Amino acid sequence: NAGVMQNPRHLVRRRGQEARLRCSPMKGHSHVYWYRQLPEEGLKFMVYLQKENIIDESGMPKERFSAEFPKEGPSILRIQQVVRGDSAAYFCASSPEGGSPEQFFGPGTRLTVL
Amino acid sequence: DQQVKQNSPSLSVQEGRISILNCDYTNSMFDYFLWYKKYPAEGPTFLISISSIKDKNEDGRFTVFLNKSAKHLSLHIVPSQPGDSAVYFCAAREYGNKLVFGAGTILRVKS
């Protein structure tokens, strides 16, 4: 009965490199969400996906950030040409079909940009 | 514009006493409110939720109260235990499943 899994747990990138963050939702969950937490702040919504579809990307920066949730495999949050301001904890959450409001979070990926 | 506010950055409570964590919101279209607990270097853990049409929900030691007219909710933990020491986030659901989080309150339960 595994929960939401994220990898890597820690990721260090130099400015200008690409960062790929992976998320496997809980078994039976078809909704995936990505949130970002900057130091001393709460979590901020980035994007909401279902299998092969982006439902809401209103929290995604317009450039360099993209997300996908393919038919097979984990959801990927991709950050191109990272900058120091991208350093944060990135959390993935999942929820089942049915409209229940609870979202279940993974342990997060801590991205550090040097 | 912060739609969900937790105005107390921290709270210290004696073991066995009640912990009350507060949250205010501005958007009357939120349909659910949730509380999460978070330990360092871990993801948030869901605690309890309440629908906007209810005024109270209880689950064991945790009770959430909602005052819609005041746009205010609170989480009561009774009795508080040292293991409850963590950061508590209030969150509200917007149409379309997006959660809007407050900045969190650090709870310290002293033994």
Side-chain angles (χ1 to χ4, degrees), chain A residues 43 91 102-107, chain B residues 34-39 42-48 62 75 86-89 101:
Chain A
L43 282 73
F91 293 98
E102 294 86 2
Q103 296 178 14
F104 298 90
F105 283 81
Chain B
L34 303 89
W35 284 94
Y36 284 86
K37 171 182 175 180
K38 185 180 181 302
Y39 293 119
E42 294 185 12
T45 301
F46 170 73
L47 283 175
I48 191 169
F62 302 94
L75 174 68
V87 180
Y88 288 78
F89 289 101
F101 282 82

Side-chain angles (χ1 to χ4, degrees), chain B residues 52-71:
Chain B
S52 60
I53 62 172
K54 306 279 189 184
D55 55 19
K56 178 182 175 181
N57 188 25
E58 190 171 355
D59 184 0
R61 297 187 298 116
F62 302 94
T63 303
V64 56
F65 295 92
L66 175 62
N67 183 334
K68 282 190 73 175
S69 61
K71 292 192 173 71

Side-chain angles (χ1 to χ4, degrees), chain B residues 4-8 11 18-25 33-36 47-50 54-59 61-68 70-78 88-91 105:
Chain B
V4 177
K5 293 183 182 179
Q6 294 177 256
N7 292 317
S8 298
L11 174 67
I18 184 171
S19 295
I20 300 177
L21 297 117
N22 294 303
C23 179
D24 297 295
Y25 63 95
F33 301 90
L34 303 89
W35 284 94
Y36 284 86
L47 283 175
I48 191 169
S49 65
I50 186 168
K54 306 279 189 184
D55 55 19
K56 178 182 175 181
N57 188 25
E58 190 171 355
D59 184 0
R61 297 187 298 116
F62 302 94
T63 303
V64 56
F65 295 92
L66 175 62
N67 183 334
K68 282 190 73 175
K71 292 192 173 71
H72 176 85
L73 65 153
S74 59
L75 174 68
H76 293 211
I77 306 174
V78 182
Y88 288 78
F89 289 101
C90 170
T105 297

